[in-house]
Amino acid sequence: MSEIGSTPVLAFGAHPDDIEFGCGGVLAVEARNGRNVHCVICSLGEAASNGTPEGRRAESVAATEMLGATVEFVTLDGDAKLEVRAEHSHKLAEIIRRVRPSTVLATTCFENQHPDHWRLGKIVRDAARIARYGGLKEIHGEPHAIGQLFYYAVTPEGEPNDVLPILLDVSSADVVNSWIAAMGAHASQGATRNYIDLQLNRARVWGARAGVEYAMALYPNDPLMFESLAHAGKGARNF
């Protein structure tokens, strides 16, 4: 396996559809690059206007499989009840230690969005830091330091206005088709609004800025570190 294929990606979502809508194309790209991609869902969307917890769990299992990922579910406070608690960060830190990812994705901490989204972003940020600390005996597993934490925005309202994003090209037909299928698996939420068109249009706008058909934005928690400028890619300016 190549070096890139040996480094897992771990993505956290507050609700069963957050990951597919917010960064599904990114995960499809990474899975097709040979990386193990694992998703963690922190509620069953029980507060939603449409769908049942059991149905939404099944939708999430089907959707992540379409992306080439695996999924697990953890119980925190419940949908629309999430609070930022140390015990939640400890629980997610144990998952980080078990999966041992180099890359972690979570919802942005920008507050003008679903409250579970920004709260989960803060919990994951704390968990990624705590997972390194060997002195916390209440957290099981060997300490692990991730390489990078990136945030994704489920909706435009969640896009932070003070962080310059990185863009990932998700234009290949295989990736786009898998991403659309994964979003479509959340059929219960399609009764609320047309989320698929929303996300594709967002990706088209980011792609137009970068000179590709579709791109998705991720927001780094920390400055990016390169061994050479040759690894830094190209600037996303097409106008």
Side-chain angles (χ1 to χ4, degrees):
M1 182 178 290
S2 66
E3 182 179 352
I4 191 172
S6 65
T7 56
V9 178
L10 178 61
F12 290 92
H15 311 106
D17 53 14
D18 291 345
I19 291 173
E20 288 77 20
F21 291 147
C23 63
V26 171
L27 298 190
V29 168
E30 297 307 305
R32 281 148 186 78
N33 281 335
R35 301 182 75 178
N36 292 324
V37 178
H38 187 60
C39 301
V40 178
I41 313 301
C42 299
S43 82
L44 293 178
E46 54 270 21
S49 300
N50 296 291
T52 64
E54 296 78 13
R56 297 198 65 189
R57 180 188 181 103
E59 288 175 346
S60 188
V61 170
T64 49
E65 183 176 348
M66 292 171 184
L67 295 177
T70 54
V71 65
E72 67 179 279
F73 300 85
V74 299
T75 301
L76 299 180
D77 295 315
D79 185 12
K81 300 177 181 178
L82 186 62
E83 297 290 344
V84 179
R85 306 176 189 270
E87 55 264 37
H88 293 340
S89 293
H90 291 181
K91 180 179 287 190
L92 300 190
E94 288 189 352
I95 295 175
I96 291 172
R97 288 184 173 187
R98 168 165 50 85
V99 177
R100 310 191 76 77
S102 65
T103 307
V104 172
L105 277 65
T107 41
T108 64
C109 301
F110 193 66
E111 293 190 9
N112 186 28
Q113 57 176 320
H114 192 300
D116 288 353
H117 292 173
W118 66 262
R119 287 174 176 151
L120 181 64
K122 291 186 175 182
I123 292 168
V124 173
R125 182 185 62 193
D126 292 347
R129 187 177 296 272
I130 289 170
R132 304 185 332 222
Y133 299 158
L136 289 172
K137 303 304 181 185
E138 63 267 41
I139 301 179
H140 299 109
E142 290 296 316
H144 176 70
I146 70 170
Q148 187 60 268
L149 169 62
F150 292 107
Y151 299 110
Y152 64 90
V154 180
T155 62
E157 292 78 15
E159 296 176 1
N161 52 25
D162 59 348
V163 180
L164 191 66
I166 68 164
L167 300 182
L168 188 70
D169 185 354
V170 297
S171 301
S172 80
D174 181 40
V175 167
V176 172
N177 290 338
S178 297
W179 180 30
I180 291 173
M183 290 191 288
H186 294 282
S188 65
Q189 302 314 293
T192 304
R193 55 183 56 91
N194 193 338
Y195 286 108
I196 296 178
D197 273 0
L198 170 64
Q199 306 305 343
L200 290 175
N201 284 328
R202 291 174 68 199
R204 287 188 188 100
V205 171
W206 284 116
R209 292 179 59 175
V212 299
E213 187 174 5
Y214 294 100
M216 300 196 78
L218 296 176
Y219 301 86
N221 186 69
D222 302 294
L224 300 178
M225 178 72 178
F226 302 101
E227 295 179 358
S228 166
L229 292 179
H231 300 156
K234 64 179 182 178
R237 183 186 299 273
N238 196 45
F239 291 96

